[in-house]
Amino acid sequence: MSNAQPHSAQETTESRLERLNYRRVGLYVVLTVIAVLFLIPLHSGLMASLKDGNAFATTLPFAPPTPDVATLDPWSTAFSRLGRSMLNSAAVAIPATVLSALFGSMTAFGLTKIEWRGQIAIVALILAAIFIPYQAVLVPLKQGWSMVGLEHTLALIPVIGDTLAARTSLFELTITHAAYGIPICTILFRSYYQKLNDEILEAARLDGAPERRVYRRIVLPLSVPMFAVTLIYQFTQIWNEFLIALVIQDSSKNYVVTMQLNALAGSMQSMYNVQMAGAFIAALPTLLVYIAFGEQFAKGATV
Amino acid sequence: MIARLVRYLRQSGDSAADSSRPLRSDGGVDTTESGLGRPDETDPGPSASTVESLHRNEFVRSLPFWLPGFLLVAAFVYGAIGWNFLISLTDWSGFGSPNYATVSFDTYVQLFRDSVFQNALWNTFVLMVSFTVVALAVGLFLAILMDQEIRFGNGFRTIYLLPMSLSFVVTAIFWKWMYNAQDGVINVALQAVGLGAIAPNWLGDPRFKLWAVVIALIWQFSGYCMIVYLAALRAIPDDHYEAARVDGASTVRLYRRVIIPQLRAATMGATVVIMVFALKAFDFIYVIYGGEQPGPSADILGIMMYREAFSGSSEWAYGSAIAMVLFVLALVVIAPYAFAQYRRGDL
């Protein structure tokens, strides 16, 4: 902004500097005020989660707890309710993230580094799939999984079959999330592969390397930065997903963390301090990922 | 986002040499550069005949890589939507299997006469438009502020983008506390500055129920709009600013006449993504209003679809029909943008 302002030659350097300073102070004030506004919901939630029920009811919502009422009880209550669902979420999100990134990378390789006529149509179909509202697939998803009857199949496995069958909805969620992650991963990898130099691939092919070796030995090692982006972005997306879990999850024993957090909020209506602690616990993995890898997260989000 | 996607499409049809053109990182299409620095179209490229003979069966060789992924996408997205459409043409209530022999558009006729549906459609529209317009405006404002040499730029960016890393479920729980009528953060703040008399019952009063959702969504996603715009702003060459400055243009004029027009592609891309987020507002409303009955003033199509298909009544055909309307809405959001790209020769 400042560099856009016209300034005449008569203006002294001094007055210009002064004006720039006012401008810059104003800029930082505005940026800081907005940042504070952005942080208020999180700050109030954090403060609430550190007060016991009594202090919570009698103090201002955004005031920090005084040392004599500060407590971690809401956190331990919330954790005792959410711990198991966090493990369920991890059991779903980690394999689904890896699967969608791997499929995305392979698909993008096949559609970018091996040129053939008509691949544009396949790419068009895959990228259109990114924008599908999940509601449009919920009924078939529910009906489809019940027709596949994964539960009965899993029960046939000796020894651990019954345990697996009781966890069917976790398998279904994993596969579903992996499938819905493929389009965005494909597009992310595709943009990356288009910038990769073809010459080294051609050299390997001229040496007689089959495509799978070209992919595994050359493309895959070069894809590490893009894997970082897609894994971070996909993990966040899958960990945060709620609607598909809501439709597929059968019993509270299998709830993923978003489901369990919703259940916690429903059963502890007026206990906002526990709800806030629960919200933080549920968000913790994605918050940590975001704080550690903000750059890559933003890259995935903007495509 | 779309611009970027569309760009890939175009590029895959071009010569291999063309793919070495630099891509912009903001999802916008570079209008300033088109045609510049491109190799001659008639250039056959390095040893075209060798490549041709080596790649006679590229299609077959590429199959093992893209087919598995594509089949999964096709089944889970296109197959599912097709099936969903078929179900919406039956009168299936969720028990047994649907009777595909009696397909008709009766469900849709019934749907468009349903006042609950009309109301939900209107709310969806209001939410989508207001959320999109304000989030883009806030994002652009933030991006313009951030597009300067500022200290702690990364710190500010981290804070603005932070809400986007949270789940809708988590933000709904934070905001339920913000909106609490008696001792919620917003109303306590209003009382503190002497506006206690106007402090509304945000989540109880029908006049505010939908706006409570819109405000929270803006909080969550304007940071996203900011980084899209920021990338686009940074891609505008410095000499555009210089030229305007030499001409003596004011800052406001500079932005209105020079900068904002160049952000069109970024705006359209962000609009599509943001509107699709608005169609997904289901999670937030479901959690903050404690289930699939938020009341008529906050009922949107996503919620109504879930209620019809998956709660007690379980009218799957009816739910599927609502889902098809949502799908068409998403297409309507994307289509004008794709068409604009096509007209500009970017598709």
Side-chain angles (χ1 to χ4, degrees), chain B residues 275-292:
Chain B
M275 282 194 159
V276 174
F277 274 128
L279 288 174
K280 291 179 183 168
F282 170 92
D283 301 18
F284 189 88
I285 295 180
Y286 187 93
V287 175
I288 203 167
Y289 291 118
E292 70 264 19

Side-chain angles (χ1 to χ4, degrees), chain A residues 278-302:
Chain A
F280 273 108
I281 291 170
L284 214 53
T286 58
L287 276 177
L288 290 178
V289 163
Y290 174 68
I291 289 164
F293 307 105
E295 199 73 34
Q296 282 88 341
F297 177 86
K299 230 185 247 177
T302 33

Side-chain angles (χ1 to χ4, degrees), chain A residues 196-217:
Chain A
L196 278 190
N197 199 329
D198 279 330
E199 275 165 28
I200 185 170
L201 307 187
E202 286 305 327
R205 284 174 184 139
L206 282 171
D207 285 347
E211 291 297 342
R212 78 188 129 77
R213 198 181 303 156
V214 172
Y215 174 73
R216 226 178 42 214
R217 292 288 171 78

